Amino acid sequence: MIHNNGLVKSEQFRNYRYVGDPINAVRIFNEKEVDELALIDISATKEKRAPNVARIKEIAGEAFMPLSYGGGITDIRQVADILTAGVEKVIINKAIYARPGLLTEIAKNFGSQSAVASIDVKKNWLGKYRVFIDNGTRAIQEDVVAYAKKCEQAGAGEVLLNSIDRDGTFQGYDSELIEKVSTQLSIPVIACGGAAGMDDFRNAVLAGKASAVAAGSFFVFQRPHKAVLISYPSQKELEEKFYSVV
Amino acid sequence: MIAILDFGVGNLASIHNMLKKIGVPSVITTDPEVARKAEKLILPGVGNFDYCMQKFTSSGLVDTVEDVVLNQKKPILGICVGCQMMMEESEEGVNKGLGWIKGKVARFKPELASEGIKVPHMNWTDITARPGVKLYDKIEYPRFYFVHSYHLVCDEESEVSATSFYGYSFAASVEKQNIYGVQFHPEKSHKYGMQLLRNFYML
């Protein structure tokens, strides 16, 4: 996640800690043979900034794996520029709500496979899952599953499901949430928020029925003191403890 | 020196940076003279077949490249649509391809698939290389990142240097003397792509 040009990581969508320079991080992830990288500019929408295509192109040039970009996308022309810059998919969050029709436009012009719908979820005081926008500060009075289904119908190729409650907590994914959504959609759901280890990855897929898993803190902080250390499991470890058992 | 042909299509920076990372000198160029002097060439391509063919034919590079490749026999590596352009034609468009390799480019057909497939094929996928293909030297479990709706269909089975599977078996790469083409993106396939490019350079 990029905030003021620096890479940051949050806890429950707050307490953003500086992790490093995005380009350096990308280079390290290259070394670690990461499968796919999602680059999200979390301040773009808040600051009403358009995506910085030149910067995205620079980062894309350094990435030796597929890349997705999200943050401040409001217009199809931005999407065209971003995809041309060497990015495989765009991630849409606020615009799903604020600009209905954009997802459909992206699917029509570039194909659903380029459109990822990012949905941030928090439990309300009644214990119900609600969709939030604006970095988790504004609740939309809509049921998560209904919202996710609308995204699918609109043309999203994948859903990136973020648990705000679990974000940065290392408490494991919210499999209940993941399962609720995954079982109602025919497009892949990527689980995000709370991963602390391989067990969590397995859990998200086996119990949560996620098609894929994403993690942030798990790859950038070293516990117990959360020192900044960029890491990633080896292909062998992933094969033995995750891929072969799901 | 490897010349990465720039005819206005594709993300060339990733290819250039990956080559830089493995210590292989390369240059992105629109200049036929630079292409002529290079030891080897890379033909990139992303997007629509007709669009790529049009951009290439109007780039001023075609004559030099064909001379270097077909007459001087210098190695060339086509990537993704760059590889598709080397065939005779594509179901995706109406323009003729370069015709360096006999065969065509066909759309993935879900109705022929053994299980449900979504088009495009956009994923990390294992490939099976024909034994002895130098491009895949030292790659123990070859897997690469693919993004495509169309795949090669070669007339000559012997020119298919590796296959992959997506609903059904399809050509992942081709090789005919000094002409090489890969359907996948080495520049998006980190260590696998790096070894493949290293192997290409060492040919």
Side-chain angles (χ1 to χ4, degrees):
Chain A
M1 295 184 298
I2 298 191
H3 180 60
N4 296 336
N5 287 318
L7 203 65
V8 298
K9 188 60 198 66
S10 53
E11 229 177 288
Q12 298 185 325
F13 278 41
R14 286 170 298 171
N15 304 331
Y16 298 102
R17 272 185 65 193
Y18 180 70
V19 170
D21 174 71
I23 295 227
N24 266 345
V26 169
R27 289 186 179 149
I28 296 174
F29 283 129
N30 281 341
E31 297 293 320
K32 304 277 181 199
E33 299 161 23
V34 168
D35 272 354
E36 192 163 340
L37 208 58
L39 189 69
I40 302 176
D41 183 338
I42 56 174
S43 29
T45 289
K46 189 157 78 172
E47 293 166 14
K48 295 190 172 39
R49 263 190 300 108
N52 183 341
V53 182
R55 185 88 172 114
I56 295 168
K57 189 164 183 191
E58 200 190 344
I59 295 173
E62 297 281 344
F64 297 152
M65 77 290 276
L67 202 60
S68 305
Y69 172 83
I73 298 175
T74 54
D75 187 273
I76 195 77
R77 281 161 300 183
Q78 292 164 346
V79 175
D81 289 343
I82 293 166
L83 296 178
T84 310
V87 170
E88 274 61 50
K89 306 172 192 168
V90 290
I91 302 170
I92 309 293
N93 189 320
K94 174 70 177 280
I96 299 172
Y97 178 77
R99 273 158 221 272
L102 180 60
L103 262 182
T104 308
E105 235 191 312
I106 299 173
K108 204 161 106 196
N109 282 289
F110 305 106
S112 297
Q113 77 288 342
S114 309
V116 179
S118 172
I119 305 176
D120 302 329
V121 182
K122 203 163 37 175
K123 261 189 181 159
N124 69 4
W125 61 281
L126 287 169
K128 282 211 173 311
Y129 290 115
R130 285 283 176 263
V131 177
F132 276 71
I133 51 172
D134 294 332
N135 300 90
T137 58
R138 195 172 133 202
I140 305 179
Q141 291 318 317
E142 233 184 300
D143 169 69
V144 184
V145 176
Y147 193 77
K149 275 192 162 147
K150 271 199 216 157
C151 291
E152 180 179 20
Q153 274 150 23
E158 288 170 295
V159 162
L160 175 62
L161 189 61
N162 303 292
S163 163
I164 299 175
D165 296 314
R166 297 292 174 108
D167 172 54
T169 60
F170 298 102
Q171 285 172 5
Y173 290 108
D174 185 340
S175 329
E176 193 197 324
L177 168 65
I178 303 166
E179 201 254 359
K180 245 179 151 60
V181 178
S182 296
T183 47
Q184 297 299 313
L185 301 183
S186 55
I187 57 174
V189 171
I190 306 162
C192 193
M198 293 290 186
D199 290 345
D200 295 321
F201 292 158
R202 273 200 305 272
N203 206 27
V205 176
L206 294 172
K209 313 275 187 281
S211 297
V213 292
S217 293
F218 178 53
F219 297 141
V220 302
F221 292 134
Q222 174 90 319
R223 282 165 292 148
H225 304 298
K226 290 183 67 173
V228 175
L229 179 75
I230 296 184
S231 71
Y232 190 77
S234 68
Q235 190 64 20
K236 186 156 177 274
E237 215 186 330
L238 284 169
E239 191 55 56
E240 281 171 13
K241 299 193 184 148
F242 184 31
Y243 302 154
S244 55
V245 284
V246 295
Chain B
M1 173 70 75
I2 294 186
I4 302 167
L5 302 172
D6 182 0
F7 47 100
V9 167
N11 179 22
L12 311 177
S14 293
I15 302 172
H16 179 67
N17 283 333
M18 187 175 262
L19 286 167
K20 195 159 107 179
K21 175 86 184 150
I22 60 175
V24 171
S26 73
V27 62
I28 297 173
T29 186
T30 53
D31 186 350
E33 283 322 296
V34 173
R36 184 178 291 285
K37 294 199 190 96
E39 290 167 47
K40 298 182 169 76
L41 303 174
I42 288 183
L43 182 70
V46 153
N48 182 280
F49 182 86
D50 275 358
Y51 182 71
C52 289
M53 278 307 302
Q54 276 157 27
K55 293 289 277 183
F56 189 47
T57 39
S58 56
S59 68
L61 287 164
V62 186
D63 290 342
T64 306
V65 171
E66 290 211 313
D67 184 44
V68 165
V69 172
L70 303 174
N71 299 331
Q72 291 178 48
K73 304 284 190 204
K74 282 192 185 164
I76 184 165
L77 176 70
I79 297 176
C80 196
V81 182
C83 167
Q84 293 178 352
M85 282 160 64
M86 294 173 169
M87 309 302 286
E88 295 173 291
E89 60 186 12
S90 172
E91 279 177 12
E92 189 180 7
V94 296
N95 285 8
K96 286 260 157 280
L98 296 165
W100 298 345
I101 299 192
K102 294 263 163 286
K104 65 171 193 181
V105 181
R107 190 156 219 272
F108 269 109
K109 297 182 172 62
E111 63 271 20
L112 298 178
S114 59
E115 71 237 338
I117 57 166
K118 286 210 171 95
V119 180
H121 172 216
M122 187 168 184
N123 225 328
W124 280 94
T125 310
D126 295 338
I127 63 127
T128 307
R130 190 189 291 271
V133 174
K134 294 217 168 66
L135 218 54
Y136 298 107
D137 247 4
K138 300 196 184 76
I139 304 177
E140 211 186 340
Y141 298 109
R143 59 192 283 262
F144 296 91
Y145 192 70
F146 288 80
V147 185
H148 61 134
S149 303
Y150 293 79
H151 63 87
L152 311 175
V153 179
C154 294
D155 284 356
E156 297 291 331
E157 198 48 49
S158 59
E159 285 170 0
V160 175
S161 53
T163 55
S164 191
F165 189 90
Y166 188 61
Y168 47 83
S169 184
F170 68 93
S173 66
V174 290
E175 184 179 316
K176 179 178 163 183
Q177 293 169 33
N178 56 310
I179 300 168
Y180 303 83
V182 295
Q183 178 62 74
F184 49 78
H185 288 272
E187 75 284 10
K188 296 266 164 189
S189 306
H190 49 69
K191 84 166 185 201
Y192 306 94
M194 285 193 264
Q195 188 58 45
L196 185 133
L197 289 178
R198 210 177 267 126
N199 294 338
F200 176 64
Y201 182 60
M202 302 291 279
L203 288 172

